[in-house]
Amino acid sequence: MSMAEGRALRADARRNRARILEAAEAVFAAQGVSASTEDVARRAGVGIGTVFRHFPTKESLVEEVFLGRVRMLADKAAALSEADAGTAFFRFFAYAVEQAATQNAYADVLAEAAATGGTGGEEGAAPSAVGRELAAALAELLARAQRAGAVRADMGVAELVALLIGASRAAEHVGPEVRRHTLDIVFDGLRPHE
Amino acid sequence: MSMAEGRALRADARRNRARILEAAEAVFAAQGVSASTEDVARRAGVGIGTVFRHFPTKESLVEEVFLGRVRMLADKAAALSEADAGTAFFRFFAYAVEQAATQNAYADVLAEAAATGGTGGEEGAAPSAVGRELAAALAELLARAQRAGAVRADMGVAELVALLIGASRAAEHVGPEVRRHTLDIVFDGLRPHE
Amino acid sequence: MSMAEGRALRADARRNRARILEAAEAVFAAQGVSASTEDVARRAGVGIGTVFRHFPTKESLVEEVFLGRVRMLADKAAALSEADAGTAFFRFFAYAVEQAATQNAYADVLAEAAATGGTGGEEGAAPSAVGRELAAALAELLARAQRAGAVRADMGVAELVALLIGASRAAEHVGPEVRRHTLDIVFDGLRPHE
Amino acid sequence: MSMAEGRALRADARRNRARILEAAEAVFAAQGVSASTEDVARRAGVGIGTVFRHFPTKESLVEEVFLGRVRMLADKAAALSEADAGTAFFRFFAYAVEQAATQNAYADVLAEAAATGGTGGEEGAAPSAVGRELAAALAELLARAQRAGAVRADMGVAELVALLIGASRAAEHVGPEVRRHTLDIVFDGLRPHE
DNA sequence: AATGAATGAGTATTCATTCAT
DNA sequence: TATGAATGAATACTCATTCAT
C-alpha cells in the first residue's frame, strides 16, 4: 500500500508462484500435461491448495506455463533481430527447434500461441498479447532476412510458424544428428529459389 | 447355446473385434485417445467386457488402432512404388500429411510407430512388424526417387520420417492453403541441390 | 432377455441397489444429507464406484432416498383410507409425524415432495409422480374426514401438508410427551369450529 | 503505527466485529450456513484472518449470528408483554413465524436455541443465556395470555416452542396465503377448548 | 464367448484453519 | 491488530480393469 507495484503479491507469494510455474514446466515436460496437479505441488514443495490459489484451474496453470515458453522465444527473436539478418533468422529457427526438442510436450501449443498472433491458424484460440508479440517479432525477423536475400520472398509468417511447429515436433522424435540433417533440408527449402 | 459352435463363435468373435477397432478409430479420432473405453464399447454395440477380452489393456487397443493407420500408409507407399519414382515419392508425402491433418489425434503416435521401424527414433518402443513394413516401403520409395534424380541423395529414411512427422504435425495447425505452401517449401528442400 | 421385467437388473445388482438405498437412508438420517458418499458406500459394504453406478450423482441418491420415504407414507395413507374416516385421518397424521421424528433430516424434503404434488408449494421442484400420488392420497383422506364431520371444512390439502411439515419438524426437537401434547393442540385446531 | 492505541484499536475491532456479524447474517440468509467463511470476509470487507480472530471457528460465527436473531425475538416478546395479553401472544407468534419464512436458513437453529432455553429440547446443547432469556419472555407472554383466558391453560412453554418451530418450518414451504390459513388453524387449537 | 456390475485408485477442486508478514 | 498466503484433509466423480452370471 505504500509501494508502487502492479498487483503486488507479497514477496514470498511471488516466489511461490514462480516455483510452481517452474515445477509445472518440469513436470509437464516430463510426463505431459496430463500429469497431476498434486505432482506439480509436490515438486514445487508447496501444498496443493497453494497451487490452486495461484492458478484457479489446472487449465489456467497449463496456459500460464505455455505462455512462459512463448514469451521466452519472443524475447529471443527480438534480441536476434539486430544481428545480420540471414544468420539471425536461421540461428533463431535452429534455437527454437532445439528448445522444443527438450521440452517436448510444449512444441505445438507454443506454436499455437504463435499462430494466434495473426497468421493462418484455424482454431479460435484467444489471441493472447504474447502470441501477438511473438508473431510481430517473427515478422520482423523474416522480413529482414528476406530483404537481405537470405530467405525466399514467396512466404509469410504463417508458413514460417508452420515450419517451426513441424520441425519442433519432428525434433522430439529423432536424435540430434538426424535433427540437424533434417533442419538442413528445411533450410535449403527456405532459401531463395533459382 | 444350441447353435453350431466352434467356427461359428470364432466368426462372431472376429466380427466383434473388427467392430471394436472401427468404433475405437472413430471415437479416438473424435475425442482423442483419452476417450473412455466404455465409449468405445457403446459405439461398437458390445459390452465393456468384450472389449477387454479382445484387447487386454486400453493401451493395446490404442496401439492396434494406430497400427491400422500405419498399415494403410504402408500399403499406399507400396502401391505407389510402382509409378514414376519422383511423382510417387512426392505424392505419397503429400498424402500422408493430408491424412494426419484430418486425424489429428493420431499424428504423433502414427509417427512414432513409423519411427520404430528402423530409423533414428529414441525411445525403446517395440519395433513393431508393421512399423518395419512401413519403413521398408518408405526406403524403397525414397531410393527409387533418389535414383531417378528427383530427390537429393544425401538423406535417408530417418530424415524422411522426421520430415513426415513434422509436416504432419504442422498440418494440424494451419489451413489448407498455408499447408500446401509449406509443403512446397519442404519439397524444394528435398530436391537435389545446385 | 427371456423374462418379462422392466429395466431388468441382475439379481445381485438389485440387491446392491437396495443395500445402498438402505445405507443412505441410515447415514443421512444420522448425519444429515451432507454425509459423504463414501460413508454410504462403506455402510452398504460396496465400493464407491458401485454407488455412482447406481446413482450417477449424489443428488440423485438423495432424491431417491426421499422418494422412498414419501412412497411409504403414500402407501400408508392409501391403506388407512378404508377405515373410519376421522380416525384414519388423525391416525395417519400422528403416524407421519412420528416417522419424521426419528428420521429427522427428511421431514421437510419429504413434505416438499408432497407439496409438489399439487398444493401451494412455492419452488419449482419437479412434480414427481410419487409426490402427486401422495397428494392424491392425502386429498382422499382429508375429504372423507371432512365429509364425516371430523375435520373442519375450510381447509385443503395445502394446509394439511403445511401442518404435516410443521408438526414433523417440531417433533424433531422435542421429547415424546411434549410431542403428543403439541399434536393434540394442532388436532383441536383441525376439528370443526363451534 | 503512530496513532493513539489502546481504546482506538478496541473501537476499530468492535466495529469490525459488528461488520462481520452483519455480513454473515446477509450471506448465510442468502446462501445458507454452508456459505464459505471467505465469502463472509469479502462481504464484510475484511481479511479472512480477521474473521477468525473474532470468531475462532466457523461454528462460533454461525452460533453468534443465530444468537442475534434469537435476541431480537426475545426483545419483541418482552416489548409485547406490555400490551393486551391475548393480542400480544398471537401477534408475537405470527411475527416469529413471518421472520422465519423470509430467513429460512435459520429457522431450525433459531428454534434449537429457543429449545435450549429451558423447554423439553433433547440434545445437550448449551442452554445459552440468550436462549434462557427468550424462554423467560415466552413464559411471561404465555402466562399472561392464559390468565386473560385467551389461550388454553393446559400447555406450557415447551409446547409453545414446539409449535413455533413447526409453524416456522412450515412457513418456509408454502405461500403467504396458505401460511396465514394454516396459522389460523393452529391458533384455533391454541384457544381454550369447549 | 459375451455381458455389465463391481471395484477402488486417482483427479480436480473447496474450505476451515494457521501463521508469517 | 489486520492481512491474506499457505495448508491439506475432504469430497464428488471417473475410468481402467476384474469377475460373477
Side-chain angles (χ1 to χ4, degrees):
Chain A
M1 266 191 179
S2 62
M3 283 237 160
E5 303 244 331
R7 50 190 62 214
L9 279 180
R10 263 161 42 187
D12 68 337
R14 220 188 343 260
R15 190 161 40 245
N16 266 344
R17 202 190 129 93
R19 285 173 69 184
I20 292 167
L21 275 173
E22 240 173 277
E25 199 151 331
V27 169
F28 291 163
Q31 319 178 27
V33 295
S34 69
S36 84
T37 317
E38 202 108 24
D39 273 4
V40 172
R42 201 155 24 239
R43 166 130 197 176
V46 303
I48 231 267
T50 305
V51 174
F52 277 90
R53 161 170 278 268
H54 286 285
F55 306 93
T57 349
K58 187 188 175 182
E59 210 192 343
S60 71
L61 173 58
V62 171
E63 268 175 29
E64 205 73 20
V65 168
F66 288 147
L67 219 59
R69 293 200 59 74
V70 170
R71 197 171 278 135
M72 205 176 84
L73 282 184
D75 287 354
K76 196 79 188 174
L80 286 180
S81 254
E82 313 299 335
D84 156 65
T87 315
F89 176 86
F90 288 110
R91 209 191 285 163
F92 165 76
F93 199 116
Y95 169 81
V97 169
E98 209 61 39
Q99 283 298 303
T102 62
Q103 298 279 348
N104 48 48
Y106 299 126
D108 57 353
V109 191
L110 176 167
E112 242 178 86
T116 65
T119 66
E122 279 180 294
E123 28 250 296
S128 81
V130 185
R132 234 192 304 269
E133 208 180 308
L134 176 57
L138 290 178
E140 172 78 10
L141 206 57
L142 174 60
R144 290 190 189 210
Q146 288 174 319
R147 256 180 277 131
V151 168
R152 62 198 287 169
D154 64 340
M155 64 171 287
V157 176
E159 284 77 18
L160 174 52
V161 167
L163 286 168
L164 272 172
I165 296 174
S168 298
R169 292 309 257 159
E172 296 169 20
H173 297 280
V174 298
E177 202 177 346
V178 173
R179 182 148 72 238
R180 254 189 316 273
H181 207 162
T182 306
L183 215 48
D184 281 341
I185 298 176
V186 174
F187 283 3
D188 277 346
L190 282 168
R191 272 186 260 274
H193 221 58
E194 54 258 41
Chain B
M1 267 181 183
S2 58
M3 280 216 163
E5 310 248 324
R7 290 293 137 117
L9 278 182
R10 281 256 181 71
D12 229 48
R14 224 190 336 265
R15 191 160 38 245
N16 268 346
R17 201 191 131 92
R19 285 173 68 186
I20 292 167
L21 275 174
E22 236 174 281
E25 195 149 337
V27 169
F28 291 163
Q31 319 176 29
V33 294
S34 68
S36 84
T37 318
E38 199 107 25
D39 272 6
V40 172
R42 202 159 19 243
R43 167 129 196 176
V46 303
I48 228 257
T50 307
V51 174
F52 276 89
R53 162 167 289 270
H54 286 285
F55 306 92
T57 19
K58 187 191 177 181
E59 210 191 342
S60 69
L61 172 58
V62 170
E63 263 173 25
E64 207 71 21
V65 167
F66 288 142
L67 231 53
R69 294 199 63 76
V70 170
R71 197 171 278 131
M72 211 174 77
L73 280 185
D75 286 354
K76 187 77 181 182
L80 283 178
S81 270
E82 314 297 336
D84 153 56
T87 314
F89 177 87
F90 289 110
R91 210 192 281 164
F92 167 77
F93 199 116
Y95 170 81
V97 169
E98 210 61 41
Q99 284 297 305
T102 62
Q103 300 276 348
N104 50 51
Y106 298 124
D108 56 354
V109 193
L110 178 164
E112 245 176 82
T116 66
T119 65
E122 281 179 294
E123 27 250 298
S128 80
V130 186
R132 236 191 303 268
E133 215 176 292
L134 175 58
L138 289 180
E140 172 77 10
L141 208 55
L142 175 60
R144 290 194 189 203
Q146 288 173 321
R147 254 179 279 130
V151 167
R152 61 197 289 166
D154 62 343
M155 63 174 286
V157 177
E159 284 77 18
L160 175 53
V161 168
L163 286 169
L164 271 173
I165 295 174
S168 297
R169 292 310 253 153
E172 295 170 20
H173 298 281
V174 298
E177 203 177 344
V178 173
R179 182 149 70 238
R180 256 190 313 274
H181 207 163
T182 306
L183 216 49
D184 282 342
I185 296 175
V186 174
F187 283 2
D188 278 346
L190 282 167
R191 272 186 260 275
H193 220 57
E194 58 254 35
Chain C
M1 268 194 177
S2 61
M3 284 235 159
E5 302 243 332
R7 50 189 62 214
L9 278 179
R10 263 159 43 184
D12 68 338
R14 219 186 347 258
R15 191 162 38 246
N16 266 344
R17 202 191 128 95
R19 285 174 69 186
I20 291 168
L21 275 174
E22 241 174 274
E25 199 151 332
V27 169
F28 290 163
Q31 319 176 28
V33 296
S34 68
S36 84
T37 318
E38 201 108 20
D39 272 4
V40 171
R42 200 153 29 235
R43 167 133 195 171
V46 303
I48 231 267
T50 306
V51 174
F52 277 92
R53 162 170 277 268
H54 285 285
F55 306 93
T57 348
K58 187 189 176 181
E59 208 191 346
S60 71
L61 173 58
V62 170
E63 266 176 30
E64 205 73 21
V65 167
F66 288 147
L67 220 60
R69 294 200 59 74
V70 170
R71 197 171 276 133
M72 206 175 83
L73 282 183
D75 287 354
K76 195 79 189 176
L80 285 180
S81 255
E82 312 298 336
D84 156 66
T87 315
F89 177 85
F90 288 109
R91 209 190 285 160
F92 166 76
F93 199 115
Y95 169 82
V97 169
E98 210 61 40
Q99 284 298 303
T102 61
Q103 298 277 351
N104 48 49
Y106 300 127
D108 57 354
V109 191
L110 177 167
E112 241 178 87
T116 65
T119 65
E122 281 180 293
E123 28 250 297
S128 81
V130 185
R132 236 193 302 269
E133 209 179 309
L134 176 57
L138 289 179
E140 174 76 9
L141 205 57
L142 175 60
R144 290 191 189 209
Q146 287 174 321
R147 257 180 276 130
V151 167
R152 60 197 291 169
D154 64 338
M155 64 171 288
V157 176
E159 284 78 18
L160 175 53
V161 168
L163 285 168
L164 272 171
I165 295 173
S168 298
R169 291 308 258 158
E172 295 169 20
H173 296 281
V174 298
E177 204 178 342
V178 173
R179 182 148 72 236
R180 256 191 313 275
H181 207 161
T182 305
L183 215 48
D184 281 341
I185 297 175
V186 173
F187 283 2
D188 278 345
L190 283 168
R191 272 185 260 275
H193 222 56
E194 52 256 40
Chain D
M1 269 187 179
S2 58
M3 281 218 163
E5 309 248 322
R7 291 292 137 119
L9 278 180
R10 281 252 181 72
D12 229 48
R14 227 192 330 270
R15 191 160 39 246
N16 267 346
R17 202 190 130 93
R19 286 173 67 185
I20 292 167
L21 274 174
E22 237 175 280
E25 196 150 337
V27 169
F28 291 162
Q31 320 177 30
V33 296
S34 67
S36 84
T37 317
E38 199 108 26
D39 272 6
V40 172
R42 203 159 20 241
R43 167 129 193 175
V46 304
I48 229 256
T50 306
V51 174
F52 276 89
R53 160 167 291 270
H54 285 286
F55 306 92
T57 16
K58 186 190 178 181
E59 210 191 344
S60 69
L61 172 60
V62 171
E63 263 173 26
E64 206 70 22
V65 167
F66 288 142
L67 231 53
R69 294 199 63 76
V70 170
R71 197 170 280 132
M72 213 174 75
L73 280 186
D75 286 354
K76 187 78 181 181
L80 282 178
S81 269
E82 314 298 336
D84 152 61
T87 316
F89 177 86
F90 289 110
R91 209 191 285 163
F92 168 78
F93 199 116
Y95 170 82
V97 170
E98 210 61 41
Q99 285 296 305
T102 60
Q103 299 278 348
N104 52 49
Y106 298 124
D108 55 356
V109 192
L110 180 164
E112 246 177 81
T116 66
T119 66
E122 281 180 295
E123 25 251 298
S128 79
V130 187
R132 235 193 302 271
E133 214 177 292
L134 175 58
L138 289 180
E140 172 77 8
L141 208 55
L142 175 60
R144 289 192 189 207
Q146 287 173 321
R147 257 181 274 130
V151 168
R152 61 197 292 166
D154 63 341
M155 63 172 289
V157 177
E159 284 77 16
L160 175 53
V161 168
L163 286 168
L164 271 172
I165 295 173
S168 298
R169 293 308 255 151
E172 295 169 19
H173 297 281
V174 299
E177 203 177 343
V178 173
R179 183 149 71 237
R180 257 190 312 275
H181 206 163
T182 306
L183 217 46
D184 282 342
I185 296 176
V186 173
F187 282 2
D188 278 346
L190 283 168
R191 271 187 261 274
H193 219 55
E194 55 255 37

